[in-house]
Amino acid sequence: MMRRSRMVSGYPLPAILALAVSAALWAQDPVRQSAPVSAPGSLGEPWFQDIQEPLAWTREAGQALCRSVFDGLRNRSLPATALGSFPGGMAPRAVFLSWSDGQTTARSAFGVGESAETALAQAFDRALSAGAGGGSAAWVKVDVVQHAEATGGFVTRESRLPLPSLLGLTFGPATTFVFLPEQLVAWNMVDPMHRLTIHHISERLLAEHDWQRAGRWLAVANYTGGQRICLFETESFFCAGGVAVPLFRGHPLYDNPTVTELLAAARAAGDRIADYCRKDGTFQCDLPEWEPGRTGPASPADQALAVLALVRLHRATGEKTYLEAAIRAAGSLARNIRPYGTSPRAGCLPEPEEVEDSGGVVGAREITKLSSNALVLTALCEVSEALGDGSLEVPLAMLARHLALQMQPDGTMVGSRRLPSHKVGGVAEADAVGTAVLALAQLYGAVARPTFLAQAERACTRLRTQILDTVAMEGLPRDAWTLEALDRIFTFTRDRTLGTTVQRLAMAALLDQNREPDILDEYGAVGTHPSATVAADRTRLLAVAAALLHDLGQRDAATNLLAEMRPYLLYQLQARIEPASAMYLPRPAEAVGLFRDHLRDYGFALRGQASQVLSLLALTRTLQSTERETLPEDLQVAKSLNRARAAATRFPRYLSPRLAATAASPVATRGVEYHEAGSETFTIVPIPDKDPAKPGRQPGLKPVRVRRLNE
């Protein structure tokens, strides 16, 4: 997922001069409150590196404290607490309070004291002085610092932060620069290589007209020698007026959501997609986190995914808003079909493709892909069925003709063609053929012409004999469209031999389910690839497979699949933007309901929203058809989930002196936590201490190759 980038706007000359003076005199500036984070009052107080003993309280006590702070800020009255009664309650502690009205980014205040109660009181007073209270505190988050490690040799413009989405950062009491991990990520303060983005931090300070502190920051940023920093871990809770919830990495952890909750999540994301669909049928969103780096319209495949999500939401809920948006988007796709050939004319959707010649010069050409055209045909078929008026007959006929022309005598299909020559680009991969089978079967259902079902069966038979029923399980495609294709083929043919194929594909989809994560909220990810979109596709695959096995009479197999898909579902739902995970964004309320692709940064894409909606709808439909309210329980899943989440209340979680020391100086060969999946990169993940009883053992690091999307 690409990171967003915001340009620094111009500032008046007096401001620049003040900034330069402040940079020269930064050390003389008294420590004082300032946005976005308030500072401690005296250099003689304890600081973060003094926090070595965790506060050993219960999750329920943390939730109660957060609710009390929420009520206290609303009433502008410090709540009474019993923090001192817990082990570690009288040890040095830091407490952050963050608040937002839901419309603007959260502000924060923190306190550091000899005890937890002292730190809380200090943070509370500063929060009130900074404007918290009343309606401005509609959302409240409490962060209790449980462990911290200091390290030296940090070069601000060069060194890399380890695990910035998990660890906060402070430069020390003299600078007053303290950042929660959620702020580092949501405020775009760390680049993809985990280096601080100096200009974004400067921009934030300048936007607050805090010239002295901005100058101080430039002095810190421009110092070329190593500086002493402190990294810290927090335990977090969030309250928006109801029951406070514990957080990890700024988001809630799910257990076993109900059908009602799944459908509500699908509708919330669908509402956003419908809102982003303009009158001309294209999709546009002005959130700074929306598809950063994209200069043109969404690809045909992404638009088709959005149409399918909208029309299926209409089918599930009866809401006309979804169908109206789907019709507009379908019309846009139909207008972009490029006709070719003589009567009967075929048509396809062109897509740009970057090419590089031997001299390294990058150019562009047009191609048309089997998978994209098939997906668009599927989407138009479903809209046509919902309309029932034949208004899409012409584009359906052109795309159907195009797919028929890709069919070879042996049942294989052409994967792509160059335009305008229509030169063959190669044999289609298994997942593209599966999508084409679905499109042809869907077309048969829409227009009832047997030739389309015959073509679908022919391609499906070839796909099964050459790949699905013969290739080793590790080499099988993990594509939800292939399962949907088999489901449609069964609907029309009642071919009971499909049961074995479906079971093989379902088991293959479970092979790389991560139940032993290095970081607890990556439980349920697909291998080491931290994508919620990929996990959503796996959930949909298994939901369709379970429904088909249920229809085939294999009820036990269907139940087992539903139970074992739960880790995928839990992982994908963590990427849903709720108030807790939205509060540090520039426009929090506008992001609620969307899904980000992964948990280490913020970025929203049309494909991700549509994939999540399709996944949740497929699972909802399967649960309803099998008369279940939630996923069935599985003992092995429950055990592995409990093991993974045991770290939520264990401190230190991942922070150790060894990990903190990795930030001491830049190392060119050291990997990063996340990079774009299109290139081969590595992620640095912590190795938990397997045997704490052995003296001298510390948690370490290991490099893990990030799986590419097409692997």
Side-chain angles (χ1 to χ4, degrees):
M1 181 65 64
M2 296 171 287
R3 298 180 63 92
R4 63 190 181 279
S5 177
R6 296 188 290 274
M7 298 299 296
V8 181
S9 57
Y11 293 95
L13 181 60
I16 302 300
L17 293 175
L19 182 61
V21 172
S22 298
L25 302 177
W26 71 277
Q28 302 177 24
D29 180 58
V31 179
R32 62 179 180 82
Q33 276 192 0
S34 57
V37 178
S38 305
S42 169
L43 299 184
E45 294 178 352
W47 193 241
F48 284 75
Q49 66 266 18
D50 301 314
I51 303 171
Q52 296 295 309
E53 182 182 356
L55 177 64
W57 59 350
T58 63
R59 184 181 70 174
E60 291 74 18
Q63 291 174 273
L65 173 68
C66 186
R67 176 65 207 221
S68 296
V69 169
F70 176 87
D71 293 336
L73 287 176
R74 304 279 286 188
N75 300 325
R76 296 181 172 84
S77 175
L78 176 66
T81 71
L83 291 175
S85 64
F86 295 102
M90 301 306 295
R93 190 73 51 208
V95 175
F96 289 80
L97 302 182
S98 300
W99 64 96
S100 171
D101 60 2
Q103 303 302 317
T104 57
T105 189
R107 293 171 58 85
S108 301
F110 74 91
V112 185
E114 294 284 357
S115 68
E117 288 188 345
T118 303
L120 174 63
Q122 191 179 95
F124 193 90
D125 288 344
R126 291 188 176 121
L128 290 181
S129 298
S136 67
W139 299 348
V140 172
K141 178 165 162 280
V142 176
D143 291 271
V144 176
V145 178
Q146 291 282 37
H147 184 69
E149 292 287 350
T151 187
F154 184 84
V155 181
T156 312
R157 291 184 178 271
E158 299 177 3
S159 297
R160 295 173 178 173
L161 292 173
L163 306 178
S165 61
L166 291 166
L167 305 178
L169 166 70
T170 172
F171 282 88
T175 67
T176 73
F177 296 122
V178 182
F179 306 109
L180 288 165
E182 294 88 347
Q183 293 169 331
L184 289 172
V185 172
W187 292 347
N188 204 19
M189 291 183 173
V190 182
D191 68 18
M193 298 300 291
H194 289 188
R195 296 188 180 96
L196 290 173
T197 53
I198 305 300
H199 62 290
H200 282 157
I201 300 175
S202 300
E203 178 186 359
R204 178 163 289 275
L205 296 171
L206 289 170
E208 297 289 339
H209 304 290
D210 196 340
W211 315 123
Q212 288 184 324
R213 205 153 174 262
R216 185 184 305 164
W217 168 247
L218 288 182
V220 171
N222 291 326
Y223 180 64
T224 58
Q227 303 183 59
R228 189 168 180 80
I229 63 168
C230 192
L231 303 175
F232 58 88
E233 289 182 308
T234 65
E235 189 170 7
S236 308
F237 300 88
F238 175 85
C239 184
V243 177
V245 295
L247 306 176
F248 180 84
R249 210 190 318 228
H251 62 80
L253 296 172
Y254 288 82
D255 183 33
N256 197 352
T258 64
V259 167
T260 301
E261 292 169 333
L262 295 174
L263 185 56
R267 293 187 65 161
D271 289 342
R272 297 297 187 185
I273 298 174
D275 289 343
Y276 301 155
C277 185
R278 301 188 299 182
K279 290 182 179 180
D280 64 357
T282 59
F283 293 89
Q284 182 175 341
C285 171
D286 62 354
L287 285 176
E289 301 84 13
W290 183 263
E291 302 200 4
R294 181 185 288 276
T295 57
S299 69
D302 289 357
Q303 286 183 274
L305 282 173
V307 171
L308 285 165
L310 290 167
V311 73
R312 292 183 183 183
L313 264 172
H314 165 70
R315 190 188 308 154
T317 65
E319 290 287 341
K320 291 184 178 180
T321 303
Y322 301 131
L323 181 58
E324 291 168 352
I327 293 170
R328 294 197 301 273
S332 174
L333 285 170
R335 289 190 296 272
N336 287 325
I337 295 174
R338 182 178 297 176
Y340 65 90
T342 57
S343 182
R345 304 198 77 186
C348 63
L349 286 114
E351 299 182 59
E353 181 188 44
E354 286 191 353
V355 292
E356 184 174 343
D357 63 17
S358 57
V361 178
V362 176
R365 67 184 179 198
E366 284 189 327
I367 63 170
T368 188
K369 299 177 183 177
L370 174 67
S371 57
S372 297
N373 285 286
L375 204 55
V376 171
L377 179 55
T378 302
L380 296 185
C381 280
E382 296 200 15
V383 173
S384 179
E385 289 183 89
L387 289 173
D389 60 4
S391 58
L392 294 173
E393 182 178 341
V394 173
L396 287 177
M398 286 195 295
L399 288 173
R401 176 65 174 163
H402 175 74
L403 257 63
L405 292 173
Q406 311 318 304
M407 185 83 68
Q408 302 302 296
D410 62 354
T412 59
M413 301 191 76
V414 175
S416 64
R417 291 181 182 269
R418 294 182 186 178
L419 297 177
S421 66
H422 286 270
K423 183 178 178 180
V424 174
V427 177
E429 299 290 338
D431 54 354
V433 175
T435 308
V437 171
L438 172 63
L440 291 167
Q442 198 76 12
L443 190 59
Y444 168 73
V447 301
R449 289 185 58 184
T451 183
F452 296 131
L453 180 59
Q455 290 173 345
E457 288 187 276
R458 180 181 172 193
C460 184
T461 299
R462 171 76 182 190
L463 184 61
R464 291 179 64 188
T465 56
Q466 295 297 313
I467 297 176
L468 303 186
D469 293 342
T470 56
V471 171
M473 198 169 291
E474 292 80 1
L476 289 175
R478 277 86 156 170
D479 179 63
W481 298 116
T482 301
L483 262 296
E484 288 204 20
L486 297 180
D487 181 67
R488 294 300 286 170
I489 291 292
F490 176 76
T491 299
F492 298 129
T493 67
R494 315 311 290 181
D495 182 1
R496 306 192 69 82
T497 66
L498 289 170
T500 301
T501 306
V502 171
Q503 287 205 41
R504 279 172 51 81
L505 292 174
M507 293 304 297
L510 290 167
L511 286 179
D512 49 0
Q513 187 183 76
N514 187 354
R515 297 189 187 180
E516 299 293 335
D518 295 295
I519 299 174
L520 70 91
D521 64 352
E522 292 182 357
Y523 176 86
V526 178
T528 57
H529 185 60
S531 170
T533 305
V534 175
D537 288 340
R538 292 296 176 88
T539 300
R540 180 160 64 97
L541 185 158
L542 294 170
V544 175
L548 183 49
L549 290 175
H550 184 272
D551 292 344
L552 284 163
Q554 301 180 30
R555 305 294 177 86
D556 291 342
T559 299
N560 291 338
L561 278 187
L562 288 173
E564 293 203 68
M565 79 166 65
R566 184 178 167 200
Y568 285 145
L569 176 64
L570 297 183
Y571 182 75
Q572 77 181 81
L573 286 176
Q574 292 172 151
R576 183 171 184 254
I577 300 299
E578 300 190 36
S581 49
M583 67 186 302
Y584 296 101
L585 294 175
R587 289 142 58 186
E590 295 181 37
V592 172
L594 291 171
F595 283 83
R596 49 181 168 166
D597 181 62
H598 60 94
L599 305 173
R600 301 170 180 179
D601 195 2
Y602 286 88
F604 310 123
L606 183 61
R607 170 177 288 270
Q609 311 316 308
S611 297
Q612 293 286 351
V613 171
L614 291 169
S615 175
L616 296 173
L617 288 177
L619 180 54
T620 299
R621 189 163 54 249
T622 299
L623 290 174
Q624 290 173 337
S625 66
T626 56
E627 299 181 342
R628 295 181 182 276
E629 183 63 22
T630 61
L631 293 175
E633 294 288 341
D634 178 84
L635 181 59
Q636 295 304 316
V637 169
K639 287 182 177 180
S640 62
L641 180 61
N642 289 336
R643 284 196 304 270
R645 292 189 173 176
T649 55
R650 183 189 67 231
F651 291 95
R653 287 169 175 160
Y654 309 109
L655 180 59
S656 67
R658 182 178 177 182
L659 182 63
T662 64
S665 60
V667 181
T669 58
R670 182 157 63 89
V672 298
E673 186 182 47
Y674 176 78
H675 198 47
E676 193 171 345
S679 59
E680 183 173 333
T681 56
F682 290 83
T683 178
I684 293 296
V685 295
I687 303 173
D689 191 354
K690 301 295 185 182
D691 188 0
K694 291 185 178 180
R697 284 198 55 172
Q698 294 287 348
L701 301 171
K702 66 179 180 180
V704 178
R705 183 170 177 270
V706 174
R707 292 178 61 89
R708 295 177 65 174
L709 283 172
N710 59 355
E711 292 181 337

